[in-house]
Amino acid sequence: MDLDASTIESLVDGAVAFSLIAIPKVLLAVLFYFIGRYIINFALKTTNKLFVNYEIEPSLASFLSSFLKGVLYLLLILAVLSTLGVEVTAFIAVLGAAGLAVGLALQGSLANFAGGVLILIFKPFKVGDTIEAQGTLGSVEAIAILYTTVRNFDNKVVTIPNGALANNSITNFSLKPTRRVEMSVGVAYGTDLKKARQVILETLKKDERIHEDPAPVVLFTNFGDNSLDLSVRCWADTSNLWPVFWDNMEAIKEAFEANDIGIPFPQRDVHHFFPNGIPEMKKLPK
C-alpha cells in the first residue's frame, strides 16, 4: 500500500510523541529498578548480620532471608510496572485472592510453619537434646520449618508437626547440665535401716561421677508388701545419668550381699485350719 507524505508525517509525529512520553518512563523505570535492587541487597545484608548477631538458627535465617528477598523483589517489580504506567491494582487483587485461597488450603502447614519459626527463635530444644513430647521420648535429630524429627531409644524415627510442639508441653532432659539420679531399693523386714543407709552411702561415695554437692541421701519411703522401701537420690552430670543409675544399682546389690542385708522377694504365709482335726494323709498308689 502506497503511503502519501501526509500519512508518513502523521506516523512520524505519532512515534516522536510516543517516544517523548515512553522514553522518560522507561529510563525512570530502569533507574528505579537499579536503585531498588541496591536497597534490597543492602537490606538483605543488614538482615543477615542481625541474624548472626542474635544467633538465629541457620535454617530459619536462610528461609527468612529467601522469603524477605522474594517479597521485596515482588514489590520492586510492581513499583517498576506502575512507573511504566501499567495498572497493577487488578494484579494485586489477584495475588491477594490467590494468597487467601492458598492460606485456607494450607491451614495445617501454616500452623506448622508458625510453630517452626517459634521453636527456632525461642529454642526450647536443639538438635541432640533428649525431649519428651506428643507421647514420644527420644533424641532430636533435625528441626525443619514444618516438622521436627525425633529418634527414640529403640531407633525408630518419629516426625512431629511443629504446630503441635509449639502449642503443647515439652520436657527437655538435656537443657540443664546436671540431673538427679533416683533409685528405688528394697530391704527385707527386720533389716537395720541405719546400717542399710550407711552401706548405700559408702557405695555411692566410691563413684567419682556422683556430685558431693548436693550430697546423696537415702530416705525411707514406704512399708511395702514384702520390703522396706528406700529412695536413693544423688546428683550427676546429665550425660552420666543412666550409667550412674545402672552401675550403682548393681553395686548396691553386691554391697547388700557382702553385708548380709536381705533383699526381699514376694512371699506368703499360708495357715491351714482344720475344724475336725488334722486329716489323714492318703498314700499315693505306686
Side-chain angles (χ1 to χ4, degrees):
M1 183 177 65
D2 294 334
L3 297 176
D4 55 21
S6 60
T7 302
I8 295 175
E9 185 178 357
S10 176
L11 291 175
V12 171
D13 291 340
V16 171
F18 176 78
S19 299
L20 291 175
I21 297 174
I23 289 176
K25 288 185 177 182
V26 171
L27 293 177
L28 182 61
V30 172
L31 179 64
F32 195 84
Y33 171 77
F34 283 104
I35 293 175
R37 194 172 71 171
Y38 173 80
I39 293 174
I40 289 174
N41 291 334
F42 177 78
L44 292 175
K45 289 180 180 178
T46 304
T47 303
N48 290 331
K49 289 181 180 179
L50 290 175
F51 288 157
V52 173
N53 292 338
Y54 286 96
E55 297 181 351
I56 301 298
E57 188 76 20
S59 57
L60 176 61
S62 176
F63 176 84
L64 292 178
S65 180
S66 299
F67 180 77
L68 179 61
K69 181 178 180 180
V71 171
L72 291 177
Y73 267 102
L74 177 61
L75 293 176
L76 176 60
I77 291 172
L78 292 177
V80 169
L81 291 176
S82 179
T83 303
L84 291 172
V86 178
E87 184 62 43
V88 296
T89 306
F91 183 67
I92 294 174
V94 170
L95 284 179
L100 178 61
V102 171
L104 292 174
L106 300 176
Q107 288 183 11
S109 296
L110 291 176
N112 292 335
F113 168 77
V117 171
L118 293 175
I119 289 171
L120 292 171
I121 290 177
F122 294 105
K123 299 179 181 178
F125 56 85
K126 62 182 183 298
V127 173
D129 284 357
T130 299
I131 66 170
E132 183 175 12
Q134 298 297 297
T136 298
L137 172 64
S139 176
V140 178
E141 285 202 329
I143 306 173
I145 291 296
L146 298 180
Y147 299 97
T148 293
T149 302
V150 177
R151 178 175 55 84
N152 61 25
F153 297 116
D154 57 356
N155 214 32
K156 295 177 182 176
V157 176
V158 182
T159 302
I160 306 175
N162 286 334
L165 284 176
N167 291 290
N168 291 281
S169 60
I170 302 170
T171 302
N172 190 333
F173 296 96
S174 304
L175 191 60
K176 297 298 183 181
T178 60
R179 292 272 306 278
R180 189 178 74 182
V181 183
E182 186 163 353
M183 295 169 276
S184 181
V185 177
V187 296
Y189 274 92
T191 299
D192 185 347
L193 291 181
K194 292 182 179 179
K195 179 182 178 181
R197 182 179 288 110
Q198 181 182 358
V199 169
I200 293 172
L201 291 176
E202 289 177 353
T203 302
L204 298 179
K205 190 178 295 185
K206 298 176 183 177
D207 193 336
E208 296 180 353
R209 298 169 297 181
I210 295 177
H211 296 181
E212 295 181 359
D213 185 22
V217 295
V218 179
L219 305 171
F220 174 53
T221 56
N222 184 46
F223 292 94
D225 290 340
N226 305 290
S227 64
L228 300 174
D229 297 332
L230 302 174
S231 178
V232 182
R233 299 176 181 178
C234 59
W235 288 81
D237 292 344
T238 299
S239 59
N240 290 329
L241 174 72
W242 289 111
V244 166
F245 177 88
W246 293 320
D247 293 346
N248 283 280
M249 284 293 287
E250 184 174 346
I252 289 172
K253 186 258 185 186
E254 293 174 353
F256 279 177
E257 292 175 347
N259 287 272
D260 295 324
I261 296 176
I263 298 175
F265 55 88
Q267 53 187 313
R268 293 288 185 272
D269 291 334
V270 180
H271 299 273
H272 293 281
F273 175 69
F274 302 104
N276 299 322
I278 300 176
E280 294 182 359
M281 298 296 293
K282 295 183 178 180
K283 295 183 179 180
L284 297 176
K286 294 181 179 180

